[in-house]
Amino acid sequence: MKEIHSNIELKELIQTRETVWLLLFKSGLEHSECARKGYAEAVSKTVSQDFFISDVASVRDIHPEYGIQTVPSLLEFRFGKLVNVFKVAINLRNSDQFLKMLYL
C-alpha cells in the first residue's frame, strides 16, 4: 500500500491501472486512524497493487477535486474515472468482509 502525496500523482496512477482504490483519511482523528489501520490490514491480505492511501491533513488537493467533504472515504477509480465513493469506518474486526465487498 503506497501513500499518494498529490492529485497529480493520483491522476498519473489512475491512468495506468484498470482499478485503483484510495482511502482518504485524516491523521489524528480516532475514527479515521481506525479506518486506516483496518484498510492496511485488509490490503495486507491481498497481492493486489491497486490500494493506496492519502492523508488529507497534508495532501490538500485530492478531496476538493472529487467533492469529498468527509473522511474516511474510500474512492474507487476505474479506467481513470471515479466510479464510487464509500463513506466507511473500517476497523480491524471486519477487514475480511471489507475485502469480500471489494471483490464482489
Side-chain angles (χ1 to χ4, degrees), residues 3-95:
E3 189 164 352
I4 302 298
H5 299 285
S6 72
N7 194 33
I8 291 171
E9 181 182 5
L10 175 63
K11 286 186 176 190
E12 290 173 1
L13 183 74
I14 64 176
Q15 295 304 318
T16 61
R17 296 174 187 252
E18 180 179 333
T19 302
V20 169
W21 295 93
L22 175 67
L23 179 71
L24 295 177
F25 74 101
K26 186 171 185 179
S27 57
L29 295 179
E30 184 178 348
H31 68 285
S32 208
E33 290 288 350
C34 181
R36 183 190 59 78
K37 288 177 186 175
Y39 181 73
E41 181 181 303
V43 168
S44 74
K45 296 177 181 183
T46 180
V47 295
S48 174
Q49 299 292 311
D50 298 325
F51 297 94
F52 301 88
I53 61 170
S54 190
D55 185 352
V56 300
S58 58
V59 181
R60 310 287 299 156
D61 62 347
I62 295 175
H63 62 283
E65 173 81 13
Y66 299 101
I68 305 303
Q69 297 180 349
T70 60
V71 292
S73 289
L74 182 64
L75 285 64
E76 177 187 9
F77 296 90
R78 294 207 181 248
F79 302 104
K81 303 289 184 196
L82 179 65
V83 295
N84 284 308
V85 176
F86 301 93
K87 309 278 189 224
V88 292
I90 306 160
N91 63 44
L92 297 176
R93 293 184 305 267
N94 68 4
S95 62

